[in-house]
C-alpha cells in the first residue's frame, strides 16, 4: 500500500527520500492559488485557526514523482483522488461519487461529482482525470506507473464518467487510486510547467499551498472549492520537518508547533507538559530487508536463522518504549490483511537459530554487514542480538539520500534496517515488498506460488466474503517464503496543544476533517 503509506517515523531509519528529488536546501517558493479564493468562510461557515504540524516535508509536491511513501500525508492536503480510505483503510467516494465494475472485473467506471474544479480554477472533469492518470501511467520517469500496470486504457466516456479498461481483473483499483497513484493533478499545470509541480502543486484538495521553503516550512490555506469543504474547519495549515526528539516538547510549548509527531521516549514528558497525546495505529512496520540474492542469505536456512535470532519484544521495548506491537508480518493487527495465524510464527529462539546456521554449514557462526542509515539505536541492538548466535555483524552507515540507490537499485547490500510505510492497496504492498521488481525486495526473487496468491487477491472483489481469507492466505504465504524480517509496528504518536481538537485516528493516511485550532 506506498500505504500505503504512512509515517516518517521517529528515527533516522525512516527512509525520507528514495531517488533524491527536490531543490536546493535554501529554495523558497511563493505561490498564488488562482481561483481558490481566500475567504475565512465556506460551505460550513467560519473556519477556525491554524494547525502547525511538526511532521515531515515531501520529497516532491508532484505525486507522480514523489519518492517516499509517507509523502502521501502532505500530498493529501493539496490533492484529491477519485477515492479515499476511511479510518479503517476501506475505499470510499471522494472526487468520484461512486464506481461500478463490469461482470468480469476488467472494467471500472467512476462517476465524478458535479462542479469540481482545481485550485487554478480549471474544470476537473473526466477529460482532466484521463490526462492526469495517463501521465502517471506513461511518463518515462513516473514513480507510480508500476502500480497502474493493469490499466490498459483510460477513457472519458462522458464529461462526468471515467472508464478504466484493465488488462486483467483487478478489484484493488478503488484502494490503489486512493493514494498518490490516484491523485488528480491539473492538466493545465503539468502541460504548462511540469517541473514546477515539485514545489507548486495544483490539485483539488482541502488546502492550497501558498508558500514553501524546502526543508523548512510549507504554508497552506483552506480551499473553499474542495468537494468536502464543509468538513474542513481549519483556515490555515503549516507543515514542518520532523522535530528533533530532544527539543520537540519545548517546541510544542513555545508554539513553534501545536501538533507534532513524537517518539515513544517523549510521551511521558509531553503529558507532564500538559499536552494531549494520541497514539494512532498506522501501517508502518520496522523491518530488516534481506538480500536473498547474496551470500549468506542465498541459503534459506541462514535467512530462517535470522528470524529466530531477533528478540522483537526487546527491540519494541527499547526502540519504541513499548508503543506498537511485535510483528512478523507487513500488516498491523486489525487490518484485513493481518493473518492472526501467523502471529508468533518466529519466536525468539537463539538455540534454534544456531542449529539452522550449523545446518547451513556455519557451526562457528559467520560474518556479515548490517547496512543502515542510522548510526545508533536499532542497528546496535540487532548487532548485539546477532552476536548471541555467533554472527558478527559489522555496521555500515550510508547516507539516507543514497540508501535506495545502494540497497534497492544496485542490490549491493546483504542486510538493511528499514521501515515499510504501507500502501493504500494490499496488492500494491505485496508488490513493493515481495514482487520480482519490488522496491523493498533486493533479492528480486519471488516464489511462483506467492505470485499466484497475490494475483488471486487482485482478482477477488473487496466486498466478497472471501476477500479477507484470500488476503490473509497471501500474507501467510509471504511471511513463510520470503526472507524479510518484520520487527514491530510503528504507531503515529501525535502530541498536541489542548487548543487543537482531537485528530482523526486514520490508519493509512492522516486526515484532518473536523479538526479545529483555537
Amino acid at each position: 500500500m506506498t500505504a500505503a503509506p504512512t509515517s516518517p517515523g521517529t528515527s533516522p531509519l525512516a527512509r525520507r527520500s528514495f531517488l533524491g528529488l527536490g531543490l536546493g536546501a535554501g529554495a523558497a517558493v511563493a505561490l498564488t492559488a488562482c481561483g481558490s479564493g481566500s475567504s475565512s468562510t465556506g460551505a460550513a461557515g467560519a473556519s477556525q485557526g491554524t494547525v502547525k504540524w511538526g511532521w515531515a516535508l515531501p520529497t516532491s509536491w508532484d505525486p507522480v514523482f514523489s519518492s517516499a511513501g509517507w509523502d502521501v500525508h502532505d500530498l493529501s492536503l493539496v490533492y484529491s483522488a477519485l477515492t479515499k480510505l476511511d479510518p479503517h483503510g476501506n475505499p470510499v467516494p471522494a472526487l468520484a461519487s461512486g464506481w461500478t465494475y463490469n461482470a468480469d472485473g476488467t472494467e471500472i467506471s467512476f462517476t465524478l461529482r458535479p462542479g469540481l474544479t482545481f485550485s487554478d480554477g480549471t474544470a476537473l472533469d473526466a477529460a482532466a482525470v484521463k490526462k492526469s492518470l495517463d501521465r502517471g501511467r506513461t511518463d518515462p520517469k513516473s514513480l507510480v506507473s508500476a502500480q497502474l500496470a493493469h490499466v490498459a486504457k483510460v477513457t472519458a466516456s462522458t464529461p462526468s464518467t471515467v472508464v478504466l479498461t484493465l488488462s486483467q481483473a483487478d478489484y484493488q483499483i478503488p484502494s490503489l487510486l486512493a493514494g498518490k497513484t490516484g491523485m488528480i493533478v491539473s492538466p493545465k499545470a503539468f502541460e504548462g510547467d511540469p517541473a514546477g509541480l515539485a514545489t507548486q502543486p495544483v490539485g483539488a484538495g482541502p488546502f492550497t499551498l501558498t508558500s514553501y521553503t524546502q526543508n523548512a516550512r510549507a504554508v497552506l490555506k483552506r480551499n473553499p472549492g474542495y468537494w468536502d469543504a464543509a468538513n474542513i474547519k481549519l483556515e490555515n495549515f503549516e507543515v514542518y520537518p520532523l522535530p528533533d526528539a530532544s527539543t520537540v516538547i519545548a517546541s510544542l510549548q513555545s508554539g513553534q508547533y501545536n501538533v507534532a509527531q513524537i517518539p515513544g521516549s517523549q510521551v511521558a514528558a509531553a503529558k507532564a507538559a500538559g499536552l494531549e497525546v494520541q497514539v494512532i495505529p498506522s501501517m508502518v512496520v520496522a523491518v530488516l530487508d534481506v538480500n536473498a540474492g547474496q551470500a549468506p542469505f542465498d541459503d534459506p536456512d541462514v535467512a530462517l536463522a535470522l528470524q529466530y535470532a531477533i528478540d522483537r519484544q526487546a527491540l519494541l521495548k527499547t526502540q519504541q518504549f513499548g508503543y506498537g506491537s511485535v510483528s512478523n508480518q507487513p500488516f498491523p493487527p486489525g487490518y484485513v490483511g493481518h493473518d492472526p495465524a501467523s502471529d508468533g510464527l518466529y519466536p525468539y529462539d537463539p538455540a534454534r537459530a544456531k542449529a539452522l546456521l550449523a545446518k547451513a554449514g556455519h557451526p562457528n557462526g559467520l560474518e556479515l554487514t548490517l547496512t543502515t542509515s542510522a548510526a545508533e539505536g536499532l542497528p546496535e541492538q540487532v548487532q548485539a542480538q546477532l552476536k548471541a548466535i555467533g554472527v558478527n555483524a559489522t555496521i555500515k552507515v550510508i547516507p539516507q539520500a543514497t540508501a535506495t540507490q545502494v540497497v534497492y537499485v544496485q542490490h549491493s547490500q546483504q542486510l538493511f534496517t528499514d521501515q515499510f510505510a504501507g500502501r493504500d492497496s494490499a496488492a500494491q504492498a505485496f508488490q513493493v515488498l515481495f514482487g520480482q521488481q519490488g522496491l523493498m525486495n533486493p533479492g528480486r526473487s519471488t516464489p511462483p506460488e506467492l505470485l499466484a496468491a497475490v494475483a488471486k487477491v487482485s482478482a477477488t472483489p473487496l466486498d466478497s466474503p472471501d476477500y479477507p481469507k484470500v488476503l490473509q492466505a497471501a500474507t501467510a504465504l509471504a511471511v513463510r517464503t520470503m526472507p524479510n524480517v518484520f520487527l514491530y509496528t510503528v504507531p503515529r504518536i501525535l502530541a498536541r496543544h489542548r487548543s487543537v481538537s482531537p485528530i482523526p485516528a486514520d490508519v493509512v493516511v492522516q486526515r484532518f476533517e473536523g479538526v479545529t485550532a483555537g
Side-chain angles (χ1 to χ4, degrees), residues 220-275:
L220 304 100
K221 185 81 170 177
R222 181 178 180 272
N223 176 13
Y226 175 53
W227 71 268
D228 194 25
N231 287 314
I232 303 302
K233 310 299 184 181
L234 295 164
E235 178 63 18
N236 303 290
F237 204 105
E238 299 177 8
V239 187
Y240 295 85
L242 182 69
D244 183 86
S246 64
T247 61
V248 62
I249 303 305
S251 296
L252 281 160
Q253 289 177 306
S254 72
Q256 181 178 352
Y257 320 115
N258 54 16
V259 179
Q261 170 92 348
I262 65 171
S265 61
Q266 297 298 312
V267 169
K271 291 180 177 179
L275 300 168

Side-chain angles (χ1 to χ4, degrees), residues 4 6 10 95 147 204 236 238 268 275 322 352 372 391 399 425 491 494 515:
T6 61
T10 55
L95 292 176
Q147 281 73 60
N236 303 290
E238 299 177 8
L275 300 168
R352 187 169 182 177
T372 184
V391 174
S425 154
L494 300 179
V515 176

Side-chain angles (χ1 to χ4, degrees), residues 51-66:
V51 157
K52 299 180 179 181
W53 193 21
W55 171 254
L57 291 169
T59 58
S60 172
W61 286 97
D62 187 340
V64 169
F65 303 116
S66 153

Side-chain angles (χ1 to χ4, degrees), residues 128-214:
V129 172
K130 169 181 166 53
K131 287 183 177 181
S132 183
L133 292 178
D134 279 343
R135 175 174 178 253
R137 292 174 55 229
T138 63
D139 190 293
K141 296 182 179 180
S142 170
L143 298 182
V144 301
S145 58
Q147 281 73 60
L148 294 167
H150 291 170
V151 179
K153 182 173 65 173
V154 182
T155 306
S157 60
T158 75
S160 62
T161 306
V162 182
V163 180
L164 276 61
T165 303
L166 310 177
S167 59
Q168 64 186 63
D170 188 347
Y171 291 98
Q172 293 280 306
I173 295 295
S175 293
L176 177 69
L177 294 183
K180 292 192 298 180
T181 303
M183 288 179 176
I184 305 303
V185 183
S186 166
K188 179 182 177 181
F190 64 73
E191 290 172 350
D193 180 18
L197 284 166
T199 56
Q200 303 176 56
V202 184
F207 299 91
T208 57
L209 188 67
T210 59
S211 69
Y212 176 53
T213 303
Q214 191 179 18

Side-chain angles (χ1 to χ4, degrees), residues 82 92-98 111-116 124-125 159-160 227-228:
L82 293 174
V92 294
L95 292 176
S97 59
T111 301
L112 300 179
R113 298 178 188 273
L116 296 171
L124 198 167
D125 55 13
S160 62
W227 71 268
D228 194 25

Side-chain angles (χ1 to χ4, degrees), residues 312-360:
R312 293 167 174 82
Q313 189 63 54
L315 296 181
L316 177 69
K317 181 179 179 180
T318 301
Q319 303 304 321
Q320 293 286 116
F321 280 67
Y323 291 97
S325 59
V326 164
S327 181
N328 53 25
Q329 54 184 300
F331 303 122
Y335 181 75
V336 64
H338 181 89
D339 176 39
S342 294
D343 286 337
L345 179 64
Y346 299 117
Y348 179 50
D349 191 340
R352 187 169 182 177
K354 289 181 180 179
L356 285 163
L357 288 180
K359 180 183 174 185

